[in-house]
Each structure stands twice: as C-alpha cells, then as structure tokens.
Amino acid sequence: MNFPLIINVLISVCAYLMAKRIIPAMGDMFIKANLFGQDLCKKDKKKIPESQGVVAGCIFLVATFIFIPIPFSYQQIVDKKEFPHEEFVELIVALLSICCMILLGFADDVLDLRWRHKLILPTVATLPLLMVYYVNFNSTTVIMPKIIRPLVGMSLDIGVLYYIYMGMLAVFCTNAINILAGINGLEVGQALVIACSIVIFNCIELGRDSTARTYQFSLYLIIPFLAVSLALWKFNRFPSKVFVGDTFCYFAGMTFAVVGILGHFSKTLLLFFIPQIINFLYSFPQVFCQVPCPRHRLPKYNPETDLLETSKTTFHLDKLTFLGKFFVVLFKTLHIIQWTEGKDGTITTNNFTLINFILYLFGPVHEKVLTQMLLGVQILCTCVAFIIRYPLAGYFYDT
Ligand code: UD1
Ligand code: MG
C-alpha cells in the first residue's frame, strides 16, 4: 500500500470539490476584468468567461504544495531513509516549470501574444527542468530499435541533441493542445484522455515494479491535474459556461512534458499525442505561414441548420511559396482536403485542422457530436498507443 499516493488521491478529491465550487463563482469577476470570449459556434454570441484554466492551475498548485511534505516526511519517519534531496528538487522544479507556464499562458490570454512567442515561452519555462535533468541524470543515451542495431549499435549517446529534443517536447505539448481547439470541451476533453492514459500506463509500470519512483513521481502530479481538469470539464463541455483559455492548454501541455521528461517516458508520452501529432502535421503549412491562415480556424457555424461546417481558406496557387504549393498539391492528391476552384483562378480549401478534416469526412454535424467524435478518435489512438507500447514493443526493443 502506497501511503503518499493515497494522501495524493484524497488531496485531489478536495481539489476537485474546490474547483467545482470556485470556477462558476468566479465567472462574473472574469467578465468584469474583460476576460471573456464569444462562443463562435452558437446563435447568440454571449460573453463567456475565458482563461478559467488559471483557476484550475492555481488550485492544482495549492494541492501539490500541500502534498509536497507527505512523501518526503514519510520516507524519513517510516522508511528511515536519508532525505532524498534529488527527488525533492525534481518535484520543486517540476512545479516551477508548470507555474511559469500558467503565468505565461495567462499573459498570452490577456495580451494575445504572437505565434513566435508561443514557441519561445515554453522553451524558457523548461530550462530549470533541463538543468535538474542535467544535474540528476544527465543520461542522453537512446536505446536503438533492434532493426538498426547492426548499423549504430545497441545505444547511441546523442548528447546535447537530447536536451534540444526535451525542450522541443515542451513546445510541442503546449502548442499541440492549443491548436486542436475551438469547439466546446475539446481542450479539456483531450487533456483528460491523455492524463488518464498516463495514469493507466504508470499504474501498469508500478504493478511490475512497485518501487519505480519515476512513475510514482508522475502520479503525484497527474492525479491532481486530472482532478482539477475534471472539474473544469464540467463547465467547459457543451454548452460551455466557461472557456479555458490558452492558460489551460499551456498548463496541461507543460504538466505532460514535465512528467514525461522527469518520469523518463517521453517516447511513450508522444504515443498518447497521436491525434495532436496528426493535427500538427496537417496544420504545418498554415501554422508556418506557407498557406494563408485566418485568426480562427475553428469550424463555421450554420445558424439555419444549427450544425458545424468546415471553415475555409482562399488563395491563388501562384502566389504561394514553393513549400506551400507542394503541401497543397500533396494534400489534394491524397484527397485529404476539400478543393474548389473559383472562376477567377482562386482556390478554396478547408482550413487544415483535424476538426475540419472530420467534418470533411462526415459532413456537417452538431458541435456536441463533433467533440464526441474527436474525443472518440483520441481514445482510439490511446488504445493504439498501448498496443504499440506493449505487444508490439517486443518486436523493436528488449522488453
Ligand atoms: C487557436 C487556433 C485557432 C482556433 C482557436 C480556438 C491555430 C493556429 N490557432 O488559436 O485556429 O480558432 O485556437 O480556440 O490553430 N472559442 C469558441 N468555442 C470554444 C473555444 C473557443 O468559440 O469552444 C473561441 C472563443 O471566441 C474564444 C477563442 O476561441 O475566445 C479562443 O481563441 P484563442 O485560444 O485565443 O485562439 P488561439 O489559441 O490563438
Ligand atoms: Mg487557444
């Protein structure tokens, strides 16, 4: 029986109850502070309090601050071990990175930062984490898959590239959730599925070796995250009473990156991000300005049918960059975009997001159904991730 984990669950239940009370109570305060958004997929575009991720994030921080002394005093008093300075620093620095990201996410919501800042900020917030990784582990060796071992050997020390990879992981996790967004409940919904996948994965690994402290560490953070996100989901799901803002997307992404890096399962973590990876690859031409990208790429609401349709972007093929032309033609050949040619030579396609792609495949659907479909895809991909991680991993690695 893991005593600190039981206390963690109890604190998380309290955090859930607290978030459930505080989030709706703070709605008016947010609107008064001009922190609101309009639900673009509804007939009446009323003010909805935005950036409520900051409330969830603060409750998460309070819960974890209260929890910090538990595992360490338990180890000293009951297990009579020496004070684990390394583990303590890891937990503190994990919270520092998450705290930084909540602050930066909130700044983004208030100031509407440019895209290049969205890439720089998570990198900066990961620096303390990478520093602790350097001091505590500094393991930059990657175990090679069986097929390429004859060429490169059993493992490869990639040195500084490993740190660049970890920094990029944080940038990816934070932004990937933010660009798969725009319909009620999707940001929190996907974060909940990923968090549940991490909990299941950690429990499986702890079942194999109950002393594996990296998985315990991961659970200490993910369980309170799950609790506050669950409370937020109650108000953010269709029809949204609150919006979570970029604050939540950054908070969630950083929490995942932190547990993946310090828990040493960053590759498995990426398996839980399959829909986000697909959405990122599909979005690439628009996010990197090779194809015109409107401020909002969320689906278009049709007030007559009350259904969501694909949102569109229009361009002249000749005016695109070489890379832009390449991607557009590739997507057309693969039949993964809607393609309409106007008389004046303009091309109209759907915006390149997974949400629009689902609409392209299945036609206009209701917002609630669309969120369910996307979360269904997320759950399906989690199942695929577990199949790759367990039965299939044996073909590539020694398990
Ligand atoms: C990202 C996306 C953008 C998408 C937006 C929606 C990219 C490059 N950017 O931008 O295409 O439109 O997220 O979140 O992919 N909103 C709703 N219903 C919801 C959630 C949000 O109408 O369920 C609208 C509200 O007006 C809200 C706004 O989206 O105020 C929030 O957008 P914001 O998070 O600021 O957009 P970005 O993250 O910059
Ligand atoms: Mg956003």
Side-chain angles (χ1 to χ4, degrees):
M1 190 90 80
N2 189 324
F3 176 73
L5 213 51
I6 295 170
I7 299 292
N8 187 284
V9 172
L10 289 178
I11 292 177
S12 301
V13 171
C14 296
Y16 168 78
L17 296 173
M18 207 167 151
K20 214 174 91 172
R21 270 182 79 105
I22 295 180
I23 291 169
M26 292 198 77
D28 286 342
M29 214 184 276
F30 273 65
I31 293 181
K32 268 190 206 143
N34 270 338
L35 284 168
F36 61 84
Q38 285 186 322
D39 199 334
L40 303 173
C41 301
K42 300 285 182 303
K43 240 180 224 149
D44 54 336
K45 301 203 168 21
K46 58 178 183 187
K47 293 177 181 175
I48 310 247
E50 185 141 14
S51 310
Q52 290 272 14
V54 76
V55 181
C58 289
I59 296 172
F60 166 86
L61 288 176
V62 171
T64 40
F65 288 162
I66 294 172
F67 173 71
I68 288 174
I70 310 289
F72 299 103
S73 47
Y74 182 78
Q75 279 193 17
Q76 278 211 303
I77 298 166
V78 182
D79 293 347
K80 305 254 182 285
K81 283 184 187 167
E82 236 180 84
F83 190 83
H85 290 279
E86 288 182 2
E87 286 174 41
F88 185 64
V89 168
E90 272 174 35
L91 198 56
I92 298 288
V93 86
L95 293 180
L96 175 67
S97 289
I98 295 171
C99 188
C100 264
M101 219 50 234
I102 294 174
L103 175 71
L104 298 174
F106 195 58
D108 189 3
D109 277 330
V110 176
L111 306 172
D112 216 357
L113 300 176
R114 288 165 174 246
W115 267 96
R116 60 169 179 272
H117 298 136
K118 298 189 186 206
L119 299 182
I120 297 166
L121 297 180
T123 318
V124 175
T126 358
L127 289 179
L129 199 67
L130 298 186
M131 188 72 201
V132 165
Y133 187 89
Y134 176 74
V135 174
N136 278 6
F137 310 106
N138 196 22
S139 161
T140 51
T141 305
V142 181
I143 307 291
M144 290 290 130
K146 283 178 190 168
I147 344 162
I148 56 169
R149 277 182 200 169
L151 295 174
V152 287
M154 175 82 180
S155 60
L156 190 67
D157 188 359
I158 57 170
V160 74
L161 286 180
Y162 199 81
Y163 287 91
I164 295 177
Y165 156 73
M166 287 190 290
M168 285 171 72
L169 182 77
V171 177
F172 173 75
C173 290
T174 47
N175 285 294
I177 296 176
N178 192 26
I179 64 169
L180 186 56
I183 54 170
N184 292 182
L186 188 57
E187 289 112 313
V188 190
Q190 61 187 299
L192 279 174
V193 177
I194 298 172
C196 287
S197 317
I198 295 176
V199 169
I200 295 170
F201 169 67
N202 291 166
C203 290
I204 295 175
E205 290 300 317
L206 278 175
R208 290 170 157 192
D209 173 11
S210 62
T211 58
R213 66 173 190 87
T214 50
Y215 299 114
Q216 280 174 10
F217 164 85
S218 163
L219 285 176
Y220 291 163
L221 293 177
I222 284 293
I223 295 173
F225 172 80
L226 202 59
V228 294
S229 302
L230 212 58
L232 196 53
W233 159 255
K234 225 179 120 47
F235 305 102
N236 181 242
R237 68 182 179 202
F238 184 90
S240 284
K241 293 179 194 72
V242 304
F243 284 153
V244 296
D246 291 344
T247 317
F248 178 79
C249 302
Y250 288 4
F251 161 46
M254 198 53 158
T255 308
F256 297 144
V258 161
V259 297
I261 292 171
L262 293 179
H264 301 276
F265 59 90
S266 59
K267 278 184 284 175
T268 306
L269 176 74
L270 280 178
L271 284 178
F272 299 138
F273 273 79
I274 295 174
Q276 286 71 20
I277 294 174
I278 295 171
N279 185 53
F280 171 73
L281 294 176
Y282 191 43
S283 296
F284 184 89
Q286 284 196 308
V287 170
F288 290 94
C289 304
Q290 302 302 311
V291 171
C293 180
R295 167 69 183 86
H296 280 292
R297 303 191 298 160
L298 50 79
K300 188 167 159 273
Y301 176 68
N302 184 338
E304 277 158 31
T305 57
D306 195 32
L307 300 178
L308 297 185
E309 298 166 1
T310 53
S311 60
K312 305 275 184 349
T313 180
T314 302
F315 49 86
H316 269 278
L317 203 55
D318 301 334
K319 289 187 184 156
L320 294 186
T321 58
F322 171 76
L323 214 58
K325 239 181 260 174
F326 168 78
F327 278 114
V328 166
V329 173
L330 178 73
F331 287 180
K332 184 186 177 225
T333 318
L334 294 172
H335 298 286
I336 55 173
I337 45 171
Q338 272 171 328
W339 183 277
T340 324
E341 285 176 27
K343 283 185 192 124
D344 52 352
T346 53
I347 310 285
T348 303
T349 69
N350 58 288
N351 280 311
F352 306 164
T353 65
L354 186 62
I355 310 177
N356 279 312
F357 181 66
I358 297 278
L359 285 172
Y360 165 50
L361 288 186
F362 300 103
V365 289
H366 191 265
E367 186 175 4
K368 190 177 175 185
V369 179
L370 187 57
T371 309
Q372 285 167 351
M373 285 166 118
L374 282 150
L375 294 183
V377 170
Q378 187 82 44
I379 293 171
L380 204 71
C381 289
T382 288
C383 298
V384 173
F386 276 108
I387 294 172
I388 297 175
R389 179 61 181 79
Y390 289 109
L392 290 187
Y395 291 103
F396 300 100
Y397 294 97
D398 311 304
T399 50

